Amino acid sequence: MRIGFIGLGLMGSRMATNLLRRAGYDLVVYNRTRAKAEPVLDLGAIWADSPAQLARQVDLIFTMLAHPEAVKQMALGEEGFLDALPPGAIWADCSTVNPSFSREMASQARERGIRFLDSPVAGTVGPATEGKLLFLVGGGPEDVETCRPLLEVMGRKIVHVGGHGQGTGLKMVFNLLLGEAMLAFSEALVLGRALGLSRDTLLDLLLGSAVVAPFLNGKRQRMVEEEYAAEFPLKWMRKDLHLASLTGYEEGIALPAVNVAKEVFALAAGDGLGDEDFSAIYQFMADKAGLDQSQAKASYGRDE
Ligand SMILES: NC(=O)c1ccc[n+]([C@@H]2O[C@H](COP(=O)([O-])OP(=O)(O)OC[C@H]3O[C@@H](n4cnc5c(N)ncnc54)[C@H](OP(=O)(O)O)[C@@H]3O)[C@@H](O)[C@H]2O)c1
């Protein structure tokens, strides 16, 4: 089976590398910025000059793209892949997009005799590198089984959630929790520090306690060192909260906290933090509160 991979960013480059290294599949790749494909080309992947050219050479295509607009551009734009795939081929979209968009892509694929799966992932660059992602898959059971061996090369667990849009629906639920928890924790730290509590005392006592989400432990170093190298870029968290808000509107339900969080992430992105890790929302909140980070370090020194 020949496989195509489109979208070689932080996540896609690692997933494609696993398909090449661990399973030895023939892999044809395309990325809007060719330079990012060089590492996988060095490992033996074949470059295609356009999504359509890629599609003419493969039976199964993975996409791992930034947002719905990028997916639509690659699938249905000029030289898009959807019209060029052979009938019966499978398209598994691993991008984090909204469920109604996944259903729209499933319908566009069906019209062309292409089978579609929404297969977003939980887990960031570490699990992507190690092939330990969690895949949340929506689509037909037979199509899931066809893709399962490949998903298992990139992931530790494959969950078939339900029909089209159910995979991206569950992913949206995950990221709502992730975004709101990061913001709530940041706000709590800012309040504690405004009250004169040292940042490190707060981190020592709160992290690992029952009141905070376990993933926050992994963000400690970034917050202490004020270095926010992106695992999951803040601009994509903003995008996911926007898509959750949009989905709430489509479903006729109110998601008030999502909309507040979305706007805080928008302000942080506007302040130039979009390419930093989404935990930089703590820095943004501390700055807005007028808390001097160097004082936090000094107060930590006194505590010792
Ligand atoms: N990073 C994480 O921890 C993580 C975890 C789970 C899920 N996700 C999701 O996975 C997806 C990819 O995330 P990432 O972290 O790998 O992001 P990334 O490093 O920014 O990569 C984004 C990819 O989308 C492409 N792209 C962006 N706009 C495009 C456009 N208009 N047309 C064509 N291609 C376009 C980029 O191409 P260029 O190289 O040309 O820019 C790149 O290949 C996102 O949906 C994200 O929400 C990320």
Side-chain angles (χ1 to χ4, degrees):
M1 187 187 275
R2 250 191 164 190
I3 298 160
F5 205 110
I6 297 180
L8 300 166
L10 282 172
M11 296 294 283
S13 58
R14 290 162 168 87
M15 294 160 72
T17 297
N18 281 328
L19 286 172
L20 279 162
R21 275 214 176 123
R22 297 181 170 212
Y25 287 102
D26 283 342
L27 199 67
V28 188
V29 298
Y30 176 81
N31 194 59
R32 181 180 61 173
T33 308
R34 182 181 166 138
K36 289 194 197 163
E38 294 301 339
V40 292
L41 297 178
D42 289 345
L43 292 173
I46 300 153
W47 174 255
D49 281 329
S50 70
Q53 197 197 81
L54 177 147
R56 286 190 276 271
Q57 305 174 56
V58 302
D59 317 294
L60 196 159
I61 189 165
F62 287 105
T63 44
M64 188 50 163
L65 293 158
H67 37 58
E69 295 75 21
V71 176
K72 204 162 197 169
Q73 176 65 31
M74 294 292 96
L76 293 160
E78 200 181 329
E79 284 290 292
F81 62 79
L82 213 42
D83 280 329
L85 280 170
I90 299 189
W91 168 25
D93 184 21
C94 303
S95 322
T96 304
V97 295
N98 48 315
S100 61
F101 178 79
S102 294
R103 289 193 294 273
E104 184 194 334
M105 290 302 104
S107 156
Q108 291 280 359
R110 194 181 309 115
E111 282 173 19
R112 293 162 173 83
I114 306 301
R115 300 178 282 161
F116 177 82
L117 294 176
D118 44 296
S119 47
V121 301
T124 185
V125 292
T129 306
E130 293 160 17
K132 290 188 175 158
L133 292 167
L134 166 62
F135 280 89
L136 307 169
V137 189
E142 281 183 20
D143 301 337
V144 177
E145 290 318 307
T146 305
C147 285
R148 190 179 289 277
L150 291 160
L151 299 178
E152 283 174 345
V153 170
M154 300 181 279
R156 68 179 159 81
K157 192 168 180 185
I158 320 303
V159 180
H160 183 198
V161 186
H164 292 133
Q166 297 287 74
T168 43
L170 183 53
K171 172 67 185 170
M172 189 151 289
V173 170
F174 267 79
N175 277 21
L176 178 156
L177 287 168
L178 208 56
E180 289 190 9
M182 191 69 240
L183 179 58
F185 187 66
S186 301
E187 199 168 78
L189 280 192
V190 165
L191 173 63
R193 289 196 37 222
L195 291 168
L197 300 164
S198 89
R199 182 183 56 197
D200 296 274
T201 301
L202 288 161
L203 290 171
D204 286 345
L205 289 174
L206 292 173
L207 292 175
S209 79
V211 298
V212 304
F215 84 87
L216 288 159
N217 272 308
K219 301 299 182 191
R220 178 176 184 141
Q221 198 180 348
R222 284 179 168 77
M223 290 188 278
V224 169
E225 292 177 359
E226 299 166 33
E227 292 289 345
Y228 296 94
E231 274 184 318
F232 182 39
L234 186 145
K235 64 186 175 188
W236 298 153
M237 178 53 82
R238 178 195 176 200
K239 175 257 306 182
D240 291 348
L241 292 170
H242 164 67
L243 295 177
S245 166
L246 175 69
T247 303
Y249 177 79
E250 289 173 350
E251 296 298 323
I253 56 164
L255 298 173
V258 160
N259 282 286
V260 170
K262 163 190 156 174
E263 296 305 329
V264 181
F265 279 92
L267 289 168
D271 263 16
L273 296 173
D275 289 321
E276 306 283 2
D277 190 68
F278 78 106
S279 53
I281 203 71
Y282 164 65
Q283 188 83 40
F284 175 76
M285 297 291 286
D287 288 349
K288 291 297 165 204
L291 297 174
D292 181 351
Q293 302 288 44
S294 59
Q295 275 175 10
K297 280 185 174 164
S299 73
Y300 178 52
R302 280 200 302 277
D303 286 349
E304 279 185 327

